[in-house]
């Protein structure tokens, strides 16, 4: 539809890619300031990202944001209860959401 309305879709896609790359660069810099980089740092972060996506609902940007917030709050509360229990609390919330609502908290809209 955008192409039919004479919108330069290649330009819009380019702008969207530039904004997303800029956001990723800022996130990477912020992560580098607060933690160290090593070859084994990736898998734990990927597990948290996977859990956030599943909690929120696959295909839903706002659901992923909500899932990340829920996961972070659960880990913070778990760490307050027991310093070594933060990660466990996050995993337990993930398992609870997966058991009770496998499609996630927010369903993605399907394209018609």
């Amino acid at each position: 539809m955008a192409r039919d309305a004479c919108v330069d879709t290649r330009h819009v896609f380019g702008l969207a890619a530039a904004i997303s790359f800029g956001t990723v660069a800022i996130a990477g810099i912020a992560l580098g300031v607060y933690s160290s980089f090593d070859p084994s740092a990736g898998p734990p972060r990927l597990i948290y990202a996977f859990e956030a996506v599943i909690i929120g609902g696959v295909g839903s940007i706002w659901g992923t944001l909500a899932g990340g917030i829920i996961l972070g709050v659960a880990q913070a509360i778990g760490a307050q209860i027991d310093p070594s229990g933060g990660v466990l609390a996050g995993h337990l919330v993930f398992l609870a959401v997966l058991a009770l609502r496998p499609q996630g908290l927010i369903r993605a809209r399907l394209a018609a």
Side-chain angles (χ1 to χ4, degrees):
M1 290 181 90
R3 193 175 308 133
D4 291 340
C6 298
V7 174
D8 185 9
T9 56
R10 290 178 45 190
H11 182 70
V12 172
F13 287 142
L15 284 175
I19 290 170
S20 64
F21 290 149
T23 304
V24 168
I26 292 170
I29 291 169
L31 183 65
V33 169
Y34 293 111
S35 66
S36 62
F37 290 106
D38 59 9
S40 63
R45 289 188 177 96
L46 284 175
I47 289 173
Y48 299 142
F50 173 75
E51 288 180 348
V53 169
I54 297 300
I55 288 171
V58 176
S60 170
I61 290 284
W62 296 112
T64 301
L65 179 64
I69 291 170
I70 290 168
L71 188 63
V73 168
Q75 288 180 350
I77 291 172
Q80 290 293 322
I81 294 170
D82 180 21
S84 63
V87 175
L88 177 63
H91 292 321
L92 290 176
V93 167
F94 166 69
L95 289 175
V97 170
L98 194 59
L100 298 175
R101 196 163 160 96
Q103 71 271 19
L105 298 177
I106 301 173
R107 280 197 169 166
R109 293 185 186 157
L110 298 176

